[in-house]
Amino acid sequence: MYWGLLLCYGRLEMNTNIYEIIKNNKIKFTKRIHPSLKNYVAGLYEPMRDRIYINEEFCTKAQLRNEVVMLHEIIHWSGASNRLKRKFFTSIPSSFNSVFTGEDIIRNEEELIALLGTVYLAGILKLNEEIVGGSLSILERGIDIYYTPNVDMKYVNVEVEKAIAYIIGG
């Protein structure tokens, strides 16, 4: 698996600090994404395969940095049931369609964890202003979508801290 990771890295432009996190945590990822999602999703974490998918073509069209999408998905990866066991990965959301409508509180919390975690990781890794700015821009849009009065922001903040500690600690 490690060789596959190196080969993927060779084809995906990535900041070396992010690559170190990927390598140290033995995170599996690929640029291939299901054809039905290629026009809608920049990246996703699939718990069943424990793999991150980065849609480089979509990232380019949406003017997103691969690094921002990868950090976001790494935060999701950290919450899997075999790692930090966040609520989203131990319960089934009411509907996978709710991912895009903001109806599922558990999903909303998970997205806010990933959005905030992305900004924190970008800052901790001292990534360039363009990447940090991209993280902040996505966070701002994400808050408009996922924040509701029912979201437990104390839970979100605690889980962001746990995720960062887990990822940086390897």
Side-chain angles (χ1 to χ4, degrees):
M1 192 72 249
Y2 185 71
W3 286 107
L5 184 138
L6 284 175
L7 290 173
C8 285
Y9 170 71
R11 293 190 302 265
L12 184 65
E13 185 181 327
M14 193 71 58
N15 176 283
T16 55
N17 292 335
I18 298 172
Y19 173 65
E20 286 301 313
I21 286 174
I22 293 167
K23 185 175 80 171
N24 293 342
N25 287 287
K26 298 182 173 89
I27 298 172
K28 298 179 280 186
F29 76 94
T30 184
K31 287 186 354 180
R32 288 170 290 182
I33 197 158
H34 192 278
S36 67
L37 298 174
K38 74 176 190 166
N39 294 320
Y40 305 102
V41 177
L44 62 90
Y45 168 66
E46 185 181 18
M48 297 290 284
R49 293 196 171 122
D50 196 29
R51 179 179 301 272
I52 292 173
Y53 296 86
I54 300 295
N55 185 350
E56 194 174 31
E57 183 179 324
F58 185 90
C59 289
T60 302
K61 286 181 190 172
Q63 296 181 330
L64 295 170
R65 294 287 303 250
N66 293 328
E67 291 95 336
V68 173
V69 176
M70 180 60 84
L71 290 177
H72 181 91
E73 298 308 328
I74 288 172
I75 297 290
H76 283 311
W77 168 90
S78 73
S81 58
N82 61 329
R83 293 184 191 91
L84 296 177
K85 300 176 178 65
R86 281 200 294 273
K87 286 191 272 187
F88 178 73
F89 296 100
T90 57
S91 65
I92 299 174
S94 60
S95 162
F96 282 106
N97 290 332
S98 69
V99 168
F100 299 107
T101 63
E103 296 169 1
D104 190 300
I105 298 304
I106 293 173
R107 178 60 188 202
N108 290 357
E109 289 171 345
E110 178 61 28
E111 284 303 321
L112 288 168
I113 291 165
L115 290 164
L116 287 167
T118 299
V119 174
Y120 289 148
L121 266 179
I124 289 167
L125 297 173
K126 297 181 181 358
L127 301 180
N128 70 38
E129 288 181 24
E130 185 180 344
I131 297 170
V132 174
S135 300
L136 290 170
S137 172
I138 290 170
L139 173 63
E140 186 177 1
R141 288 183 298 205
I143 287 173
D144 288 341
I145 296 168
Y146 297 109
Y147 178 76
T148 67
N150 297 328
V151 167
D152 182 351
M153 286 307 291
K154 286 182 183 175
Y155 167 76
V156 168
N157 286 323
V158 167
E159 293 302 316
V160 168
E161 288 180 19
K162 286 183 194 175
I164 298 298
Y166 184 90
I167 292 163
I168 297 298

